[in-house]
Amino acid sequence: MKILVADDSRVMRQIVIRTLRQAGFGGHDVVEAENGRIAMDAVLADAPDLVLSDWNMPEMNGIDCLVGLRAAGCAVPFGFVTSEGSDDMRARAAAAGALFLIAKPFTAETFAEALSAVLAPTG
């Protein structure tokens, strides 16, 4: 399966990918996007099995990316991994169709709990 990790910080993308491995999802293919626009284009072109997206990014933020994907008829499983997790953000994410919002700092256990409904662990 393929996971798209969208974050404008290369370091944070690497932390998310490392946490995926620590949570038991390291056997999946991972592709990266540095903003919401690139993520949206990559999802529509390559149809990943899951998107993990930051909320605040240049060009297009994560919530606009999700809304745009849903407007385009794309039902890809989508979750946020972001620095803020206010009730308003969680409500907006859920209303737009996000499966979860993981707020930083996070642990491998947080990832395992959120992603186990979407992906099978790979060891």
Side-chain angles (χ1 to χ4, degrees):
M1 299 186 86
K2 185 185 295 183
I3 303 169
L4 174 71
V5 176
D7 196 307
D8 56 319
S9 165
R10 185 185 65 77
V11 171
M12 187 50 64
R13 291 193 306 269
Q14 295 307 308
I15 290 171
V16 169
I17 292 167
R18 183 183 69 214
T19 306
L20 281 168
R21 283 194 304 265
Q22 292 170 341
F25 301 102
H28 297 289
D29 293 332
V30 177
V31 293
E32 300 178 42
E34 61 189 46
N35 64 53
R37 173 71 59 207
I38 293 171
M40 187 168 169
D41 291 346
V43 169
L44 295 174
D46 300 329
D49 300 290
L50 174 66
V51 177
L52 298 177
S53 177
D54 189 14
W55 189 283
N56 295 310
M57 296 182 284
E59 301 287 328
M60 176 186 282
N61 64 32
I63 191 71
D64 287 345
C65 177
L66 174 57
V67 169
L69 288 169
R70 295 300 186 251
C74 178
V76 63
F78 195 107
F80 287 98
V81 180
T82 187
S83 59
E84 301 174 54
S86 70
D87 290 342
D88 179 60
M89 289 175 69
R90 291 179 188 280
R92 288 180 62 198
L99 297 175
F100 53 81
L101 186 152
I102 298 172
K104 301 170 191 169
F106 48 75
T107 64
E109 290 76 21
T110 307
F111 267 49
E113 183 178 330
L115 277 61
S116 62
V118 182
L119 295 174
T122 57

